[in-house]
Amino acid sequence: MASVVRGGVTDGKIERGIKAKAAELGFAACGIADAGAAPRSGARLRQWLAEGCHGDMIWMEERAHHRESPAGLWPEVRSVVSLGMSYAPAADPLALAGQGDVGRISVYAQGGDYHDVVKRALKALGRWLVAEAPCDLKVFVDTAPVMEKPLAEAAGIGWQGKHTNLVSRDHGSWLFLGALYTTLALEPDAPGRDRCGSCDACQRACPTDAFPAPYRLDARRCISYLTIEHRGPIPEAFREGIGNRIYGCDDCLAVCPWNKFAAAAAANLAFAPRAELAAPELADLLALDDADFRTVFAGSPIKRIGRDRMVRNAAIAAGNSGDAALVPALAALVDDPDDAVRDAAGWALARLSARPAAG
């Protein structure tokens, strides 16, 4: 699919081909941006880091110079192809709220590891593009210092909502993002336009008040950060708000009105919930050792947090459950080798013992 180039910009054939191939590979959204199309993201990142809102995510600070712009990571880049793969849930993500005997896992982590699925499709798209229009390129999914959300907005896939995540008119808040950097000078799409309006549903939904203002997130208060990225004991001020969430939190995403346009049928089947991750019982999670953890969460993004953080999270959920049947499982953890697990188990036991007896 040769493209005619005039003034450094293609005639549109290759752009149409990229989008058609992306759809064939399972991407629900695809847009193109100039590599310099999100100039304000670097300044916003520096302010966020200066305020300490990244918490323990030191890598955000260490590679900020790479993250500030695509050229900061790869000077040769001219265009960014931004892609989204849908994981729209078929069931209500908030359905298990308050169900004390089970843990809530964020929708995105209930199926296959998105890193593997999205990167495999990105590499296939990259191979196709090089064959059609010889160029240099790089592909990224989450683990590299890339500002996926501002770039996706610049490419017209959606906009960064008041919860700071991407919102799509067609797919709501349920998109895994990937990026393809290329040396080709591609015709960019129109950028996304903020359509949040006066809605503040996501701000009001947060159980730990992690939004100091619309479009700003303090990760140190965010349940996703606390249950996934944060090492060590979770601050007591946030434990009750965590409820029965043991990996991530969907609340601010789930309440977004734009989700009414997101069709579960558009979701990649690789992200369909595994039965054992849809509503795992806290008693089973509290009993996990390292080998059990690796077995249960093989092929899941959850595997990256390790057994100790998962059991810590489950212990906090148990403390919020009001379920005295979990006391023996918690008591078995008071001498656990991990400090955070011991701390969470002791807190949970004290909390359950303080509850008035039923009846």
Side-chain angles (χ1 to χ4, degrees):
M1 181 184 293
S3 288
V4 177
V5 178
R6 297 185 180 89
V9 180
T10 68
D11 64 358
K13 289 183 179 179
I14 195 65
E15 290 85 353
R16 291 191 295 272
I18 288 170
K19 293 174 182 178
K21 188 64 178 180
E24 178 185 318
L25 291 169
F27 290 105
C30 177
I32 297 169
D34 179 83
R40 292 182 296 170
S41 58
R44 290 172 177 170
L45 173 64
R46 289 191 297 273
Q47 180 183 353
W48 187 72
L49 292 171
E51 293 171 353
C53 293
H54 59 305
D56 295 337
M57 296 184 288
I58 304 303
W59 65 90
M60 297 285 292
E61 186 175 347
E62 291 175 340
R63 300 198 66 183
H65 59 295
H66 288 149
R67 197 178 297 271
E68 288 179 0
S69 71
L73 179 61
W74 188 34
E76 291 77 17
V77 61
R78 300 185 69 183
S79 302
V80 175
V81 180
S82 183
L83 301 116
M85 194 172 281
S86 174
Y87 66 101
D92 178 4
L94 306 181
L96 298 180
Q99 189 169 326
D101 59 337
V102 300
R104 293 167 62 188
I105 291 174
S106 187
V107 170
Y108 84 87
Q110 293 181 22
D113 192 333
Y114 69 96
H115 297 91
D116 300 332
V117 177
V118 177
K119 178 158 278 191
R120 189 180 308 119
L122 274 176
K123 287 181 175 179
L125 180 61
R127 288 192 296 269
W128 176 90
L129 181 56
V130 168
E132 295 292 333
C135 62
D136 291 329
L137 57 81
K138 297 180 184 292
V139 299
F140 305 103
V141 183
D142 193 28
T143 55
V146 171
M147 299 281 275
E148 292 98 342
K149 291 179 284 187
L151 289 172
E153 178 175 295
I157 287 180
W159 68 95
Q160 276 192 267
K162 292 179 181 178
H163 53 24
T164 75
N165 289 289
L166 195 78
V167 184
S168 161
R169 294 182 70 181
D170 300 316
H171 307 287
S173 295
W174 312 113
L175 285 176
F176 290 125
L177 299 177
L180 186 153
Y181 287 11
T182 175
T183 53
L184 292 174
L186 300 172
E187 182 69 30
D189 291 299
R193 181 165 67 88
D194 189 333
R195 298 176 184 273
C196 287
S198 61
C199 178
D200 65 349
C202 60
Q203 312 287 285
R204 290 183 285 106
C206 182
T208 51
D209 296 322
F211 299 107
Y215 308 102
R216 293 182 60 202
L217 170 70
D218 187 341
R220 296 166 296 184
R221 304 181 66 91
C222 175
I223 292 175
S224 286
Y225 166 81
L226 292 167
T227 57
I228 299 172
E229 305 294 348
H230 180 69
R231 299 176 183 273
I234 291 175
E236 289 197 24
F238 305 125
R239 295 182 186 182
E240 183 175 356
I242 286 173
N244 64 338
R245 302 168 187 83
I246 57 170
Y247 187 93
C249 179
D250 290 318
D251 290 34
C252 67
L253 303 180
V255 299
C256 179
W258 286 98
N259 289 334
K260 65 187 176 186
F261 299 109
N268 191 302
L269 293 178
F271 308 130
R274 289 163 43 179
E276 68 273 22
L277 302 184
E281 295 189 7
L282 292 178
D284 293 337
L285 296 170
L286 293 170
L288 290 174
D289 59 20
D290 286 328
D292 293 334
F293 175 84
R294 289 192 295 270
T295 298
V296 172
F297 298 107
S300 163
I302 297 173
K303 65 182 182 295
R304 64 185 286 261
I305 70 169
R307 173 265 179 190
D308 294 341
R309 270 182 275 180
M310 173 54 70
V311 175
R312 173 203 65 185
N313 298 343
I316 289 174
N320 289 325
S321 70
D323 187 356
L326 295 172
V327 166
L330 289 165
L333 296 171
V334 295
D335 295 319
D336 193 87
D338 184 77
D339 290 344
V341 171
R342 291 197 307 273
D343 172 79
W347 175 85
L349 286 168
R351 189 169 170 83
L352 290 177
S353 66
R355 291 181 64 88

